[in-house]
Amino acid sequence: MKMTFRWYGSQSDSITLSQIKQIPGMSGLMGVLDYKAAGQVWEDKEIEAYMAEVHAAGLECEVIESVNVHEDIKLGLPARDEYIANYCQSIRNLAKHGVKVIVYNFMPVFDWLRTDLARPIPEDGSNSLYFDEAQLGDMGPLEIVRSTIENSNGFTLPGWEPARLAELENTLEQYKSVSSEDLLANYKYFLDGIIPTCEETGVVMAVHPDDPAWPIFGLPRVAHSQADFDKILALHDSPSNALCLCTGSLGSDPANDIPAIIRHFGEMGRIGCLHVRNVKHLGYHKFREAAHLSSTGDLDMYAILKAVHDTCPNTYIRPDHGRMIWDETGRPGYGLYDRALGAAYLNGLWEAIGKGEQA
Ligand code: DNO
């Protein structure tokens, strides 16, 4: 297992690479160029500059996140061929700089969605990301976008880049005629277009689950259960077509048995990487993000890491969203302190599992 950390780049992150390097056991990053609009080529020179900085800090960057898929691809519009060609070029450029796994998602319009970015946790006085579908009902897509941008402390959030959102109303209208079957057909077209380039360059595509793990605003969503991922992997059968197993996203639906899902796809060799975090269910379609420790949420982190240890022990892992603690301010979900605590805890579990097996 390689422990990694999400970092947005020196222009865009409040956290420094030297802080990340000081977290015990940190091998490197799941990096991102957060200013890239969906559909743009990630250029050789900009990747080179990002990597130079990361390597100078003594860290690796073999995983890149949020190479966002243009809506025209998901909608199946004629311009998709051009955007798929751009995507292939980004894959080649990233591979040239040592990238082995690319995390992306195929959610229409929105990446992850929350109704509150800093909900106080009464038990300990910290705050975390929170979702309550009942609250969403009064809001509507445009309002939720506005409130997410306004409450993100001036930071961009993955999937919420202003450039992507300018056309929101129009895009929502276009999706009215797209069913889940259409989305899957468009997904297959995309995979058929990019997987040969991945195979050529040794890159694994890792799809991030829908978050939360159910459809929202009537938009089609096709990636939030084991059965969904079985279908996605069958769209283009290749070791380069894999998953980013995000425990908190899938775990927002209590029906998803996360350790069992990890075992299923781990045994198939189809887990490209994992985002590991905990979630506390508060009612129907209502949850908040919890500290990583099993007892603070509803996921069993020991069982999760044991499944990884048994089926895909060489994968990349990162502590996902943390709470905001110790008066830290920053990008919601992406502060330093709670994610560092999460990494330390996950490393501890990993060591205990390994030594327990040798004993
Ligand atoms: C959320 C992240 C996601 C993920 C993208 C990949 O915090 O895990 O934004 O990076 O869905 O495209």
Side-chain angles (χ1 to χ4, degrees):
M1 179 264 281
K2 280 193 172 182
M3 183 58 71
T4 61
F5 210 72
R6 184 167 186 148
W7 186 64
Y8 290 83
S10 44
Q11 303 303 312
S12 181
D13 209 315
S14 54
I15 296 162
T16 63
L17 288 173
S18 57
Q19 287 171 324
I20 297 173
K21 178 72 183 166
Q22 288 165 18
I23 303 169
M26 204 44 79
S27 75
L29 305 179
M30 291 200 190
V32 62
L33 302 182
D34 77 324
Y35 54 88
K36 298 302 292 187
Q40 281 184 320
V41 174
W42 291 42
E43 301 293 351
D44 188 55
K45 287 281 166 247
E46 52 192 351
I47 303 167
E48 185 178 288
Y50 183 90
M51 293 299 182
E53 221 181 327
V54 174
H55 295 156
L59 291 161
E60 296 174 338
C61 185
E62 296 181 344
V63 185
I64 279 285
E65 295 199 48
S66 302
V67 182
N68 288 323
V69 178
H70 197 276
E71 295 301 330
D72 285 10
I73 296 178
K74 294 181 240 171
L75 286 161
L77 298 179
R80 66 179 162 175
D81 291 324
E82 185 193 324
Y83 290 122
I84 288 174
N86 285 356
Y87 209 100
C88 288
Q89 192 54 48
S90 298
I91 293 170
R92 279 190 211 101
N93 293 347
L94 288 164
K96 189 173 150 197
H97 293 285
V99 170
K100 311 254 184 290
V101 178
I102 295 176
V103 182
Y104 72 107
N105 71 75
F106 215 77
M107 290 177 248
V109 190
F110 301 102
D111 192 330
W112 56 271
L113 194 76
R114 298 290 182 269
T115 50
D116 194 338
L117 299 177
R119 179 84 167 190
I121 300 180
E123 290 87 337
D124 65 13
S126 66
N127 68 71
S128 71
L129 303 174
Y130 170 93
F131 183 86
D132 179 2
E133 191 159 271
Q135 225 174 310
L136 196 60
D138 325 322
M139 279 206 259
L142 291 174
E143 266 170 275
I144 186 89
V145 165
R146 206 168 301 122
S147 97
T148 303
I149 292 177
E150 278 168 16
N151 295 313
S152 59
N153 304 335
F155 292 100
T156 57
L157 294 171
W160 295 95
E161 297 77 16
R164 258 189 113 193
L165 299 170
E167 288 282 306
L168 185 62
E169 241 166 319
N170 184 27
T171 314
L172 287 167
E173 195 54 40
Q174 287 172 302
Y175 271 106
K176 288 199 173 139
S177 57
V178 178
S179 66
S180 301
E181 290 70 35
D182 297 331
L183 188 63
L184 274 175
N186 297 339
Y187 199 166
K188 178 173 168 47
Y189 190 92
F190 170 64
L191 290 172
D192 289 348
I194 63 159
I195 295 294
T197 305
C198 295
E199 288 169 345
E200 217 177 278
T201 52
V203 166
V204 168
M205 293 300 297
V207 59
H208 190 279
D210 302 333
D211 183 359
W214 50 80
I216 45 151
F217 299 129
L219 290 162
R221 306 237 269 189
V222 293
H224 46 268
S225 66
Q226 181 171 315
D228 285 350
F229 288 118
D230 277 331
K231 271 193 215 163
I232 290 170
L233 297 187
L235 291 176
H236 190 115
D237 191 18
S238 160
S240 287
N241 181 16
L243 315 181
C244 165
L245 205 306
C246 176
T247 64
S249 304
L250 279 172
S252 60
D253 180 353
N256 281 327
D257 177 343
I258 309 300
I261 296 177
I262 294 172
R263 284 180 189 280
H264 177 76
F265 293 110
E267 275 159 14
M268 291 165 68
R270 293 296 189 88
I271 294 185
C273 64
L274 286 101
H275 292 171
V276 182
R277 68 180 155 83
N278 206 345
V279 64
K280 180 86 189 155
H281 302 127
L282 302 169
Y284 178 72
H285 286 186
K286 182 173 172 181
F287 62 89
R288 69 169 158 73
E289 299 189 357
H292 288 77
L293 186 72
S294 302
S295 59
T296 62
D298 288 313
L299 301 185
D300 181 337
M301 287 298 152
Y302 170 79
I304 284 173
L305 285 203
K306 180 81 172 83
V308 174
H309 205 273
D310 289 349
T311 66
C312 50
N314 299 322
T315 194
Y316 302 89
I317 287 190
R318 73 167 168 81
D320 202 4
H321 305 175
R323 300 162 301 147
M324 279 298 168
I325 61 171
W326 303 339
D327 301 323
E328 185 176 16
T329 52
R331 187 181 261 110
Y334 287 97
L336 172 64
Y337 304 142
D338 203 34
R339 285 191 297 153
L341 289 179
Y345 169 61
L346 297 173
N347 278 327
L349 283 175
W350 193 258
E351 181 177 340
I353 292 167
K355 289 192 173 159
E357 281 176 5
Q358 282 157 22

